[in-house]
Amino acid sequence: MPMKILVPIDFSPPSKTAARYAAKMAASVNAELTLFNSVYFDAQSQAQAAMKARAIQDIMMENAESDAATFAEELRNAHPGLTLHTHIIKGHPLADMIEKYTEEHPMDLIVMGTKGASGVKKVLMGSNAAAVIGRSKVPVLSVPEDAEFTGFNSMVYATDTQHVEDELDELINLIGPIKSVIHIVHVLSPHTSYTINTAQILENIRQRFADHTVTLQVIKHDDVLEGIEQFVAEKKADVLAMFTHQLTFFERLFGRSITRQMAFHASTPMLSLKKRKK
């Protein structure tokens, strides 16, 4: 079965970048690509306003279908033989629509565009992608606005090392058609006395994944995000992979999630996979 990739698109520059990235990836591994657009216009409670809203939404649907057809043709021309579908629906919020669609139409990967920004603009622009990363059972690849797919020759996989072998197995199964050197990294505080037996972990990994080139490094840094970014830059990584988890009470309170922060902080595409409950 070919890999199936879903690309949510609103025809903005970041979403088109993600679609072009996904199309080039799909063409390289003979994957199927689906462009997904969710149309929504906020109807008022009054009946007349609601009727106008439905009429506007119908027009938005027609425009989205036309834009999708035009853009799909561009992608097909760029990648002859690419299997490409479009799907336009009415609904909101986007994360809910994607979750429902992927339950009915199983996907292997979701590719979403992100745009670097700061302050309120960053929060607003990142809200859809952050929601999808948090909700989706399907791996999500967040693609920066200026990214272009050139292969996954070098991948950084940032981990807490608790379930590194099982997570690596899931990661390799996902990217199987795309061969990559995988650099595993774990960031520790310079002030911790905690140690990790990297030699034993690496030996276990090399026995289990003998057909793959995998490295493992523990680095110390005061800031986890900066530590990961520096490692990504050092390895000239094409993609950063991390596993998400359900937010704890304190993470919800302080808005802290390393995976979600990295999705809008890094300039390298980031692959988010759902951490399994043990």
Side-chain angles (χ1 to χ4, degrees):
M1 290 286 292
M3 174 187 282
K4 294 186 177 181
I5 303 173
L6 182 73
V7 184
I9 185 168
D10 59 7
F11 310 105
S12 63
S15 71
K16 285 187 173 182
T17 293
R20 293 186 181 105
Y21 185 103
K24 194 170 182 180
M25 180 196 304
S28 72
V29 295
N30 296 317
E32 293 184 11
L33 191 66
T34 298
L35 301 180
F36 179 88
N37 180 269
S38 178
V39 171
Y40 177 73
F41 184 82
D42 191 10
Q44 304 299 317
S45 58
Q46 295 89 349
Q48 186 176 10
M51 288 178 64
K52 289 182 179 179
R54 284 194 292 272
I56 292 171
Q57 200 167 30
D58 287 340
I59 294 172
M60 291 172 67
M61 279 286 291
E62 292 176 6
N63 290 338
E65 288 168 354
S66 176
D67 290 343
T70 300
F71 188 61
E73 189 64 21
E74 174 195 319
L75 297 180
R76 290 189 181 101
N77 288 336
H79 306 284
L82 175 67
T83 302
L84 175 61
H85 313 283
T86 61
H87 192 82
I88 316 295
I89 65 167
K90 295 179 182 179
H92 183 78
L94 179 63
D96 288 355
M97 298 300 99
I98 291 175
E99 183 176 35
K100 181 179 179 181
Y101 184 79
T102 54
E103 285 175 353
E104 297 172 355
H105 306 83
M107 293 285 160
D108 299 297
L109 180 67
I110 296 170
V111 179
M112 294 193 71
T114 60
K115 180 173 181 176
S118 59
V120 174
K121 185 177 180 183
K122 178 176 182 178
V123 173
L124 292 175
M125 298 196 70
S127 59
N128 277 332
V132 174
I133 289 171
R135 293 274 299 276
S136 178
K137 297 181 179 68
V138 181
V140 179
L141 182 64
S142 307
V143 177
E145 191 175 19
D146 59 351
E148 182 178 351
F149 181 76
T150 57
F152 287 168
N153 300 307
S154 175
M155 172 182 289
V156 167
Y157 157 41
T159 177
D160 58 12
T161 73
Q162 295 300 306
H163 307 289
V164 63
E165 290 185 47
D166 289 340
E167 291 178 357
L168 187 57
D169 183 57
E170 187 173 346
L171 180 60
I172 287 173
N173 284 336
L174 174 63
I175 67 166
I178 308 173
K179 294 300 181 182
S180 177
V181 176
I182 301 175
H183 302 285
I184 303 173
V185 64
H186 178 58
V187 182
L188 286 176
S189 166
H191 313 292
T192 187
S193 58
Y194 178 69
T195 60
I196 296 176
N197 189 343
T198 55
Q200 185 59 60
I201 294 175
L202 193 54
E203 177 61 25
N204 293 343
I205 287 172
R206 286 176 174 167
Q207 287 183 11
R208 183 170 173 180
F209 306 101
D211 295 335
H212 298 270
T213 303
V214 181
T215 70
L216 171 63
Q217 190 170 339
V218 174
I219 61 176
K220 293 194 174 182
H221 202 289
D222 286 316
D223 187 297
V224 174
L225 298 181
E226 288 185 10
I228 293 172
E229 282 195 325
Q230 288 177 13
F231 189 80
V232 166
E234 175 190 327
K235 298 302 180 182
K236 297 181 172 59
D238 299 301
V239 64
L240 165 66
M242 299 179 74
F243 280 75
T244 66
H245 58 284
Q246 296 300 318
L247 295 182
T248 66
F249 169 76
F250 289 105
E251 285 177 320
R252 291 181 189 278
L253 184 63
F254 294 108
R256 297 201 48 164
S257 167
I258 296 299
T259 306
R260 290 166 183 75
Q261 287 185 55
M262 287 299 300
F264 311 109
H265 193 62
S267 58
T268 302
M270 195 196 79
L271 178 62
S272 310
L273 300 96
K274 188 67 69 180
K275 186 180 285 290
R276 305 296 185 193
K277 291 183 179 180
K278 298 295 179 179

